[in-house]
Structures are given as structure tokens and as C-alpha cells.
Amino acid sequence: MFGHIDYRNPPELCPVRDVMSVASDQWSILILLWLGYFQVLRFNKLKKYVYGISNKVLSQRLKILEADGYIERKAYPEVPIRVEYNLTEFGQTYVEKLLELAEWMHDNSPKVIANREQYGLN
Amino acid sequence: MFGHIDYRNPPELCPVRDVMSVASDQWSILILLWLGYFQVLRFNKLKKYVYGISNKVLSQRLKILEADGYIERKAYPEVPIRVEYNLTEFGQTYVEKLLELAEWMHDNSPKVIANREQYGLN
DNA sequence: TCATAAGGTTACTTTTTGTAACTTACTCTT
DNA sequence: AAGAGTAAGTTACAAAAAGTAACCTTATGA
């Protein structure tokens, strides 16, 4: 692992860092987690669950996540158009990892918040 | 988990999202992983391993990570000053999670890169 | 004829990052 | 005695990313 992340390589030459910077992006994580929970979601539903994201960033992240192979986009030529997003099989395996992370966050965020407040007192 | 991340709460009212946005930040992850690997690192060594990070962002991230309780900062009043950073016990538990994530990235980044290239062809 | 709907895009503003020079305080070299 | 070097940052300014809100398309139903 650490042999592989050669610290002397500029970031753009380290594929692990490159891939990680997309997959560990705050909005991407939330998008993937909600897709993991619902299986299929349309653009506006996603926007609703990934609370606070803008159209612009949602649309941009969905494109990257599709390009990287985590999700699939299906457009139905109805009117108004219907577009559905879902995880790929590959995306599923990643979401399993993310769920562990999210669970850790869920269990430990009170502690972090407490730390943060105590630190503020100094 | 998903009941807890109430999608109707503005981001600043969801502690899990708040904590996660610090802990899953690209630079923070790299800092924590290298501290996990070396136990103790000084500012300039960290800067060397977390290749590409600027003084400004490194210093800012270290402060947040310290405030959140992941790392500890020890300053020795020598000349020139010596400052050492290390994980707290709490930070260690998080780094274990991060290592799993990093391992997944290491194993799967070739696939993502391949996906990305294929997508470019369409 | 006009409002509505889904899934975006666009122009513009604000926030976050990156860059590179500067600071501090003491020691070592010349 | 003047000047250089050192670690750990800080600061001012420029560039990139994100947020905001209005707009687009195409057809259907009122």
C-alpha cells in the first residue's frame, strides 16, 4: 500500500489518489450511499435525499461516478424525460466499504463533536 | 444509519455529515494514513509524504484534525522549534477503517481507470 | 394559450485552494 | 559582527471550485 503510494510522485501520477479523490468526495459518498439504500433513484429524488446539493454539482458528480463505473444512467424518452440512476455491481462493492465507514461515523460523531467543543475552550 | 441521516436536515444540523466532511477530506485522509504508517511525523516530513499539499492547507487540516481528536500536536521549545504530530488512540481506530478503504482503492483503481478511459471513447 | 414537469445547463457570485514570499528566534559560519 | 540557515508556520494575492438562481426543452393537460 504505502510502497505503492509513492510520495514522490505528483498527485496526477498516483492512480490510487486520483481514484480516491473522486470516490471519497463528500457529495459522491452521499450519492452512492443513497443509491445503495434505494437501488434506483431519479435525478430529483437524489437531489432531495442528498440534501443541500445543487443541480450543478449533482449533475457533475453523477457524470464522474458514471464514467468511473460506480453507477449507471438510464434515460427513458418520455415527456417529461425520466432518468434513473442505480449502482453498478462494482459500485455495490464500494458502497459496502462506504457503509462501514458511515457506520463508524455514526457511532463516533458524538465523540468528535465533543472533542471539538472542548478544544474550543482552550 | 439512514434514519439517522435525516435528509431534510440542513447539512449543518447533521453531525454525521459534518464529522464525515472533515474525516473524508482528501488531504485529511492522506495525513492520517501517513501518521498511521510512521507513528510520529514532523510538519516538514508530513509535507514531504503528503505530496503536493501546501503549507497553508497542511497547517489548516492539522488544526482541524487536532480539534476533532484524531491527532495530537507536541511542540518542543528548541531552536528552531520542533513540532511532532501523532495519532491519538481514537485516531488509530479511524485509521484502521481508512486502511481498509485505501486497500480497496489500491485493488480497484486499475478498474476505475479502465472504466474512465472506455467512457471517454463514447 | 398558458402552466407544468423532469432533468439538466448557464452566467454570475462566493468560498476554498494554491502559490510564493515573509516571519520568528536562535545558532552556526565566515 | 554581519549574514546564512533552520522549522513551523502565516499572509497576501491569484486561480479553481462550489453555490445560486434563472433559463431551456419538449410535450401534455387545463
Side-chain angles (χ1 to χ4, degrees), chain A residues 89-104:
Chain A
E89 218 172 300
F90 179 65
Q92 295 269 6
T93 71
Y94 182 52
V95 166
E96 279 164 41
K97 287 284 146 203
L98 282 183
L99 276 170
E100 290 174 37
L101 205 75
E103 207 176 303
W104 190 93

Side-chain angles (χ1 to χ4, degrees), chain A residues 28-98:
Chain A
S28 299
I29 289 177
L30 293 172
I31 291 167
L32 293 172
L33 285 173
W34 283 113
L35 282 177
Y37 188 66
F38 282 112
Q39 278 69 243
V40 178
L41 282 171
R42 297 168 64 176
F43 189 90
N44 283 313
K45 282 280 178 193
L46 257 170
K47 196 183 159 190
K48 179 177 156 192
Y49 289 109
V50 183
Y51 193 94
I53 199 170
S54 65
N55 283 17
K56 184 180 136 189
V57 170
L58 177 53
S59 147
Q60 189 203 294
R61 292 297 194 281
L62 287 170
K63 276 178 194 156
I64 300 179
L65 291 172
E66 194 195 355
D68 280 10
Y70 297 105
I71 68 174
E72 233 170 18
R73 177 185 188 276
K74 288 180 204 138
Y76 302 89
E78 305 170 356
V79 169
I81 190 173
R82 177 163 58 99
V83 178
E84 294 184 344
Y85 292 94
N86 60 274
L87 294 175
T88 59
E89 218 172 300
F90 179 65
Q92 295 269 6
T93 71
Y94 182 52
V95 166
E96 279 164 41
K97 287 284 146 203
L98 282 183

Side-chain angles (χ1 to χ4, degrees), chain B residues 59-108:
Chain B
S59 146
Q60 188 203 296
R61 293 297 193 281
L62 287 170
K63 275 178 195 155
I64 300 178
L65 291 172
E66 193 194 356
D68 280 11
Y70 298 105
I71 68 175
E72 231 170 19
R73 176 185 188 277
K74 287 179 203 139
Y76 300 90
E78 305 171 355
V79 169
I81 191 175
R82 177 163 58 101
V83 178
E84 294 185 342
Y85 293 94
N86 60 273
L87 294 174
T88 60
E89 219 172 302
F90 179 66
Q92 296 268 7
T93 72
Y94 182 52
V95 166
E96 279 164 41
K97 289 283 146 203
L98 282 182
L99 276 170
E100 291 174 36
L101 204 76
E103 205 175 304
W104 190 93
M105 291 294 162
H106 177 246
D107 296 342
N108 291 283

